[in-house]
Amino acid sequence: MPRKPVPEPSADSRPHWEGLAAGRLLLQRCGACGRVRHYPRPLCDSCHSFAVDWVEASGEAAVHSWTVAHHPFHPAFRPDLPYTLVTADLPEGVRLLAQLRGAGPEALRIGLPLRIGFEENGEGLTLPVFRLRD
């Protein structure tokens, strides 16, 4: 079985990955206009500034959409099938895509409150996951 592909942190994304490893979801915020952005990237799409700082997400989210994966995009993901991928709105104004844990897709509805958790993926990488909020 091949290994799962893993991202290689860049200078722009390294704080994001280090935050996940520490159990914190860090989001980029433009140092010029204050707009929060996710995924990490070097340039603000609002004001085009390269200035950046990092803010910790609240850990809350709400379902925006979801899909159930039945076919792997890479053979290493075959043992995980099927799994539910959720796109969620964060109160910080960005969306996050992550797998759902602890519930099936039948529990989901648009706007359902979620909380962000963290899981080691077995490849030396910590990833965010979603769980239903208690």
Side-chain angles (χ1 to χ4, degrees):
M1 175 72 65
R3 292 179 56 156
K4 291 179 180 177
V6 295
E8 293 186 31
S10 67
D12 296 313
S13 68
R14 187 164 281 104
H16 171 74
W17 296 109
E18 290 171 350
L20 290 175
R24 302 169 59 215
L25 177 62
L26 298 179
L27 304 171
Q28 281 185 328
R29 181 174 57 196
C30 178
C33 73
R35 184 175 179 149
V36 175
R37 61 185 185 254
H38 182 73
Y39 62 93
R41 50 195 178 268
L43 181 72
C44 176
D45 59 352
S46 182
C47 75
H48 306 115
S49 173
F50 287 98
V52 65
D53 59 9
W54 293 86
V55 295
E56 186 171 358
S58 68
E60 297 182 6
V63 173
H64 178 81
S65 181
W66 69 91
T67 189
V68 178
H70 293 278
H71 302 283
F73 72 91
H74 185 281
F77 289 87
R78 188 165 290 127
D80 301 337
L81 296 173
Y83 56 85
T84 303
L85 288 169
V86 176
T87 301
D89 297 312
L90 277 56
E92 292 79 13
V94 296
R95 289 187 178 139
L96 178 68
L97 176 69
Q99 287 190 35
L100 179 66
R101 296 289 191 247
E106 65 281 349
L108 296 175
R109 68 180 190 289
I110 304 299
L112 181 73
L114 302 170
R115 62 184 169 85
I116 299 170
F118 304 91
E119 265 183 20
E120 220 292 327
N121 77 340
E123 300 292 327
L125 189 68
T126 301
L127 299 173
V129 296
F130 290 121
R131 300 184 191 287
L132 301 182
R133 196 166 357 159
D134 299 328

